[in-house]
Amino acid sequence: MTSSPPVLEVKGLRTEFHMGRSRLCAVNDVSFSIGRGEVMGLVGESGSGKSVTGYSIMGLVDPPGHIVDGTIRLHGKDLRGLPERQMNAIRGDRVSIIFQDPMTALHPTLRIGQQMIDAIRAHRSVSRSEAWRRSRDMLGRVGIPSPGERLSAYPHQLSGGMRQRVCIAIALLNDPDLIIADEPTTGLDVTIQAQILAEMQALVAARGTALIWVTHDLAVVANIADSVAVMYAGSIVERGPTDVVLRRPSSPYTVGLLNSVPSRNQGASRLSQIPGTYTPAVSEEAVGCRFAPRCPRADDACTVFPALTAAATGAPGHEVRCHHPYAAREGRLSHV
Amino acid sequence: MGWFIARRLGQFLLLLFVMSLVVFVALFALGNPVLNFINPSSPPDVVRQAIHNLGLDQPAYIQYFRFLSGIAHGDLGNSYTSGRPALRLILERLPATLELSLGAMLIATLVGIPLGLGAGYRPNSLVGRFVEGFSLLSVSLPTFWIGLMLIIVFAIETGIFPAGGRGPTTDLLGMKVSFTSLEGLRHLFLPALNLSLFPMALAMRLTRASVEESLRMNFVRYARAKGLPPRRILSVYVLKNVLPSLVTVMGMVLGGLLAFSVITESIFAWPGTGKLVIDAIQISDRPVIIAYLLFTVFIFSTINLLVDIVCAVLDPRISLRGAAS
C-alpha cells in the first residue's frame, strides 16, 4: 500500500496454546503490514485472537502459548527467534504496547514517576533527573495537568482516564516506531474516549509512529484507522482501507458485524445480530471456514478453509477470506 | 497515625487485662504452689507461715486484685524461689532471647527470601527443586532433633562451633549482648541456625508462592513490555508486591520465636527467657509465669503494631486510620 518499506510486516503468523493434549490455535495465518505513520485497526470479538496477535508481536506470549509459524519483521528484521535479551531491547523502545486496563497494568505500589523513569532507563543511559524531566514533559504532552506532581502520585490516586494517559505517555517515552494499543479506551467513558482518541491520533501523526489499534469498536476504527483488519476465530477474514471495508464490506462476517452496530437512523427496529454463538477456542482439528456455522451464505464449499483473495471492490489491498463474498454493491449495510 | 496508635494501645490494655484474668484463673486451679518448694516435712505452722507470707491464704479475688494493683505500679510480683521481682528476671534474660530470635530471623530472611524469589521465578530450576525439598524437610523435621544433629556434627565431631551456652557479653545501650565479639557470634550461630529453619522454610514457601502469583499479574507483563531487565522486574516490581504479606507473616513468626524459643534454648543451654519460664513452670513459680505470659502479650501487640506500620509504608493504598480494627 505504501511506497516506503513497511515498519512492521507480519506473515503467516500462527500462535497456539498447548493445553495438555489439545492444541488451541488462537492466531492462524495472520498477515499484514503497516507503514510509517499509518494507523491500522485490528477488529474482532473477544477471543478472536486480536490481543494475542499483539502479544505475539511483542514476544509476550507466555507458555502454554507458542508462536509456531510465521515471521514478524520490524524494519525487515525478524523478531521471531530473537534472543530474549535483544527482544527486551526492542520492547518498550522500538515497539511499545498500551494495555486495555491501566489499573492492573501500572504497578499499584510504585510511584508513576518511578514506573516512567524505569521505562526510559531500561533503554537509555540517562541520569535519573533527566529521565524525570522527560517523563514530566511527556505527561504534559498527553494532557495531564500539573505533570510534575503526578509523577510522585500512586496509580490509585489518579482517575481511570488519567491512568490510561499515563500508559499512553509511557508508550511514547522512547519515541517508538510502532505502538500496539490493545483496546486502550474500552474501560473509559465516551467523552474521555473521544479525547484520548484524538490526542493519540495527533501524537502518532506528529512523530510518524505506526499504530495498531486493537478494538471491538467499529466506530473507533472509522474515526482513527487508515486501514482495518477484521479477525474472526484467529484469522483475518477481511482487510483493506478503512472506508472501503466499512462502506463496501465483502465478508459475510464484516457485514454481520456492521449490521449489529446500533445507529441513530435505525429507529425502534430490533438490533440485528449474527445468528449462532461464537466459539473462540479453535482446536487443531477444525477444518473449513470458521464462520460457516453462523454464515447465511455457507454451503458445501465452506468445508475448505478459504484463502485471502482480492475482493470484488477492486480497491487496492482490499482482501477477503471467503468462498462466497458479497459483490461490490450487495454487501452494503441494510440500515445505513 | 496518632489516633491509630492510641486505639492500638487501648486494644493492648484490654488484651492484657483479659490475659491476666485467664492466666490467673488457670494457675489458681493448679493448686497451692507452696508445696512444690517447701520441705514437705516442715512443721505445719512453718508451712502456714510461708503460705501467709506469700498471701496465698487469701480468697482468689483478693489475690487477683492485689495482683492487678501491683501491675498498676509496675510490680508483677516477686519470684517465689529467688525472691527477686519477676519482671526484672525476664528483662535480664531478654537480651539473650532477643539476640537469638533476631539472629534467627536474619538468617531466615536473608536465605529464605532470595531462594524463594528464585524458586518462584523458575519453579523447575535447581533452586526451585531445592526449595521444594528443603522447605518440606525443615517444616516436617522436629526442631529438637535438628538441634541435636547440629550439635553432634558441628560441635562434637568437628568442633567448629561450641556445643552450647552464650559467649562473652558486652554492654550495648544497657543490654548485655554477645554478638559484638567473634566468640559471641560463634556461640550464637548454631542455636540461631536451628531456630531459623522453620521461619526460613516458611519465608521460602511464602515468597515462592507469592512470586508465582505476582508473575501472572498484568503489571509484570507490562513491566516486561517496557523492556525492563528480568532482574529489575523481580527485585522491584515483584518483590514490592510480595513484601506486605511476607512482613505480616514473618512478624507473627518473630513473635513466636521471641515468646516460645523454649526448645532451642534448652538444647543449646541458651540463658534466655524460654529457659526461665520452663524452670518457673516446673516449680509453679506463679509470678514469673504470669509476668512472662503478660510479657508475650506485649511482644505480640508491639510486633503487630510495627507490622501494620511497615505494611502501610510498603503499600500506600493501606490507610492506618481504617486498619486499627
Side-chain angles (χ1 to χ4, degrees), chain B residues 140-157:
Chain B
S140 40
L141 283 179
T143 309
F144 77 88
W145 185 83
I146 298 179
L148 291 176
M149 287 302 122
L150 286 175
I151 291 176
I152 291 173
V153 173
F154 292 105
I156 298 173
E157 294 292 330

Side-chain angles (χ1 to χ4, degrees), chain A residues 55 107 109 115 118 123, chain B residues 218 221 224 226 237 240:
Chain A
Y55 293 149
H107 194 289
T109 63
Q115 304 193 43
D118 272 352
H123 302 287
Chain B
N218 213 20
R221 177 178 273 203
R224 284 170 60 204
K226 288 194 292 188
Y237 285 69
K240 194 101 207 287

Side-chain angles (χ1 to χ4, degrees), chain B residues 88-110:
Chain B
R88 161 152 300 192
L89 281 177
I90 292 171
L91 290 180
E92 274 173 5
R93 298 289 196 106
L94 188 65
T97 296
L98 213 55
E99 193 169 81
L100 180 63
S101 304
L102 291 179
M105 282 309 275
L106 197 70
I107 297 174
T109 46
L110 286 186

